[in-house]
Amino acid sequence: MAQWRLGLTGGIGSGKSTVASVLQQQGAVLIDADAISRASTQSNGSAIAPIRREFGPNFIDASGALDRQRMREHVFRHPEARQQLETIVHPLVGQEIQRQLEAARPAACVVLDIPLLVESPRWRPQLDRVIVVDCSEATQRARVRQRNAWDDDTIEAVMRTQSPRLQRLAAADLVVHNDGHDLVQLRALVLQLGARFGL
C-alpha cells in the first residue's frame, strides 16, 4: 500500500500540536519541524556554532543553547535578523526532515507538522494532502495569552510572521475547525480524519 504524506499546519494557538498528537496516537509517524528546529538550537545543537558566528556570543545562554528571549527581542527590533536566523536553521531542519522521511518509509501514514508549510514553496510537491487546523484570530490570541503568558505585542509579532489565516485556508485540502471545541470534540474530529488515511 502506498504511503500517505500529510502536511499539517495552523497558526499559533490553533490546536495544531493537539491534532498532531492524536494522529500520532492513531499510528501515524509524526515529523515535527518545530521540535527539530528547537533541537538544533539547544545546547550542542547543529545551529549553535553558526548562530554564534552570525550574531555573537551574547545570543547563546550559559547552557550553550540559543537565548530565545534575547533573539525574540532582537528580531522584534531588527526584522531582517529573522531572515539571517532562518538562513541558518531552515536548511538544517530540512536535512533532518529528509532523514526522518527515509526512516519512515515502511509507515502507512506520515504527518509532517510544519508551521511554515504555506509560506515555503518547497513542501507542497512532497505532500499528498495539506491539513490546516483553523480557528479565529481572537481564539488564537486568547489561547496563546493563557498558555504562554505573552503580552499582546509579542503575540501580534509572532502572528505577523505567519501567513494570514485566509492564505492558510486557501492552501488547505482539508480543514479541522477548532473554534469552541473542547478536547473531547477535537479528538473525535481527528479520529474521523485519521480514518480517511488508514489510521
Side-chain angles (χ1 to χ4, degrees):
M1 188 180 73
Q3 181 185 77
W4 284 102
R5 284 189 177 182
L6 309 178
L8 179 68
T9 196
I12 188 169
S14 64
K16 174 178 61 66
S17 296
T18 303
V19 171
S21 176
V22 175
L23 289 169
Q24 188 177 26
Q25 290 164 19
Q26 285 180 270
V29 171
L30 178 64
I31 299 178
D32 184 339
D34 244 3
I36 294 169
S37 177
R38 281 194 302 274
S40 78
T41 59
Q42 298 289 357
S43 179
N44 299 317
S46 55
I48 292 301
I51 288 171
R52 185 182 281 113
R53 283 195 300 271
E54 182 73 29
F55 294 97
N58 289 342
F59 287 89
I60 308 302
D61 68 18
S63 74
L66 173 67
D67 186 330
R68 293 181 175 281
Q69 185 61 34
R70 184 181 291 251
M71 183 61 78
R72 192 178 294 120
E73 290 166 1
H74 182 67
V75 167
F76 191 59
R77 289 193 303 271
H78 307 281
E80 71 280 1
R82 173 177 297 281
Q83 191 167 10
Q84 292 172 276
L85 182 63
E86 289 175 350
T87 300
I88 294 169
V89 174
H90 285 184
L92 297 169
V93 172
Q95 290 167 20
E96 178 59 18
I97 286 173
Q98 291 304 324
R99 191 194 68 74
Q100 291 190 24
L101 278 170
E102 287 297 318
R105 278 192 180 280
C109 183
V110 177
V111 175
L112 288 92
D113 180 346
I114 304 175
L116 299 178
L117 189 156
V118 174
E119 292 86 336
S120 172
R122 67 175 293 190
W123 297 112
R124 190 62 183 92
Q126 301 184 53
L127 302 168
D128 298 308
R129 298 286 187 277
V130 170
I131 301 167
V132 171
V133 185
D134 181 62
C135 65
S136 71
E137 291 182 357
T139 298
Q140 284 182 264
R141 291 185 189 95
R143 286 178 181 154
V144 175
R145 203 175 294 119
Q146 183 177 24
R147 180 185 72 194
N148 296 22
W150 289 354
D151 61 32
D152 289 345
D153 285 346
T154 303
I155 295 169
E156 291 300 326
V158 171
M159 288 177 67
R160 278 197 302 274
T161 68
Q162 300 182 331
S163 58
R165 182 183 180 198
L166 291 178
Q167 187 183 347
R168 279 195 300 272
L169 290 171
D173 297 306
L174 297 157
V175 178
V176 176
H177 297 283
N178 188 27
D179 248 323
H181 290 316
D182 62 26
L183 284 175
V184 173
Q185 292 169 314
L186 180 59
R187 182 178 173 79
L189 281 176
V190 180
L191 290 175
Q192 291 174 14
L193 178 68
R196 296 174 63 167
F197 300 103
L199 295 174

